Amino acid sequence: MANETVTVTVEADDESVDEFEVPAALLDLLSEGEEPAATVVSDMAMISLAQRIHGAVHHAQGEPDDEIQAIEEQTMELFEARFGATFAELTGHDH
């Protein structure tokens, strides 16, 4: 299993499809119990996107504009809906 990989396919609405390889052992390590690989990768994508918009709002130079703040608010609402907890609760990082 050490060299096995899982092919992850990403498709968003009517956009093109993208694929990449992920070590199967990494997905096993990150999974909670018997979570399918797709769930693990989707969770990691949501966490990464939330971290990026959080950084753009709270850790960038200057004050973010209203549009960026609205994107962060919506992202954090979707994050909480997916995980049942806030970004601050899951990461221990609060402002």
Side-chain angles (χ1 to χ4, degrees):
M1 180 168 190
N3 293 326
E4 290 181 36
T5 63
V6 173
T7 300
V8 177
T9 304
V10 180
E11 183 175 352
D13 294 332
D14 295 330
E15 295 180 12
S16 63
V17 175
D18 192 12
E19 290 185 352
F20 60 98
E21 297 290 317
V22 179
L26 175 60
L27 295 178
D28 287 343
L29 180 69
L30 296 173
S31 72
E32 295 181 6
E34 296 294 317
E35 272 185 318
T39 300
V40 174
V41 173
S42 296
D43 285 351
M44 296 308 299
M46 188 66 191
I47 291 167
S48 178
L49 293 167
Q51 287 175 325
R52 293 294 298 261
I53 192 64
H54 172 83
V57 170
H58 298 285
H59 301 286
Q61 297 285 333
E63 190 67 27
D65 64 27
D66 291 343
E67 181 181 9
I68 298 295
Q69 290 181 10
I71 293 169
E72 188 219 18
E73 183 178 328
Q74 182 182 19
T75 301
M76 294 308 169
E77 288 172 3
L78 293 168
F79 182 97
E80 189 170 351
R82 181 171 185 97
F83 296 110
T86 67
F87 181 78
E89 290 170 334
L90 289 184
T91 64
H93 187 85
D94 194 9
H95 291 269

